[in-house]
Amino acid sequence: MGFFCTIADCYKKMFVPNGRASRREFWYFQLYMFLIYIAVVSLFAQVLTWTYGRSSVTALGTAPGFLIMLLILVYILSLPALFCVTVRRLHDTNVSGWWIVCPLLSFLIVQILAQMDLDYGWKAFWIGLASLPFIIILLWCLKPSYPKENHYGPVPDEEKTDVVNPEEVKAEEVKPIEEKAVVEKPEEVKPAVEKVIIDSTEDLKAED
């Protein structure tokens, strides 16, 4: 399945946390969301450069600003699909999808710590500590698929390989080649015909 087909499939299942998602499906959608984020940041920086000295609201009123707002809207509307594909990816590693609650809680903690009046060193330490669940979930999503069917569903098609377990391969029945032995029949022996040589007619009459 290609990149765009995978993204379309994720949108079709944007409210479906059940089932499993392969690594390709998960990381393709992560790349898609990252590209939207990069596009928004780049366009916003460019628009601010063009409209230097104006407010950000005025900058967003331009044509590129409208595109930025559209991309932001697409990003926000794609968050349910990102959430569900992450849950399905955890299911694919045979892990409960409820683990996704940990990074969500850590995100709230990071936001609270960012607003607190703490020393810069301690704030950076606690924010880094609270961000660990994000890293753990991402590393978890790097794991290969659980090789067998689990209670979340069958193995995704993208993770199936053509390698066959040699134990499951049945030995092919080799049929011996039947050699047709050519049996030469002995030639039929014809009975010998006895030839009687008659010397004279007198002997023939004597025999009569």
Side-chain angles (χ1 to χ4, degrees):
M1 186 180 293
F3 178 79
F4 295 104
C5 293
T6 303
I7 301 304
D9 188 60
C10 288
Y11 276 117
K12 290 179 183 178
K13 297 184 290 187
M14 65 184 304
F15 297 109
V16 182
N18 300 325
R20 298 169 63 172
S22 64
R23 285 181 295 183
R24 180 185 300 178
E25 182 179 354
F26 174 78
W27 289 108
Y28 272 6
F29 201 79
Q30 288 285 345
L31 176 61
Y32 168 74
M33 297 292 283
F34 179 73
L35 291 176
I36 294 178
Y37 175 79
I38 292 298
V40 169
V41 173
S42 301
L43 286 173
F44 190 74
Q46 191 65 40
V47 168
L48 289 181
T49 303
W50 290 340
T51 59
Y52 179 75
R54 301 180 184 179
S55 64
S56 59
V57 177
T58 305
L60 292 175
T62 61
F66 175 76
L67 180 59
I68 292 173
M69 297 301 295
L70 181 61
L71 289 174
I72 292 175
L73 181 62
V74 171
Y75 190 91
I76 293 174
L77 294 178
S78 301
L79 290 178
L82 178 63
F83 175 83
C84 289
V85 75
T86 305
V87 172
R88 294 197 304 271
R89 178 80 265 269
L90 293 174
H91 289 170
D92 191 42
T93 59
N94 205 27
V95 174
S96 175
W98 285 105
W99 282 101
I100 199 174
V101 177
C102 296
L104 295 178
L105 291 177
S106 66
F107 176 77
L108 296 177
I109 294 173
V110 167
Q111 297 301 317
I112 294 172
L113 291 173
Q115 301 301 324
M116 294 178 64
D117 187 14
L118 297 174
D119 182 67
Y120 180 78
W122 281 106
K123 182 181 290 188
F125 172 76
W126 288 114
I127 290 177
L129 187 63
S131 302
L132 283 178
F134 285 100
I135 301 174
I136 294 173
I137 291 296
L138 288 177
L139 292 177
W140 221 333
C141 291
L142 283 171
K143 293 177 62 179
S145 297
Y146 186 70
K148 300 179 181 179
E149 181 177 356
N150 54 22
H151 57 281
Y152 300 110
V155 181
D157 294 335
E158 293 86 350
E159 294 292 336
K160 292 179 180 179
T161 59
D162 296 331
V163 179
V164 183
N165 189 350
E167 296 179 356
E168 298 178 357
V169 179
K170 295 181 179 180
E172 297 182 356
E173 296 180 358
V174 181
K175 296 182 179 180
I177 301 175
E178 297 179 357
E179 296 182 357
K180 295 182 179 180
V182 180
V183 180
E184 296 182 357
K185 295 182 179 180
E187 296 180 356
E188 295 180 357
V189 180
K190 295 180 180 181
V193 178
E194 295 180 356
K195 295 180 179 181
V196 178
I197 299 174
I198 302 174
D199 294 335
S200 63
T201 55
E202 294 180 357
D203 295 334
L204 181 61
K205 291 179 180 179
E207 289 178 2
D208 292 337

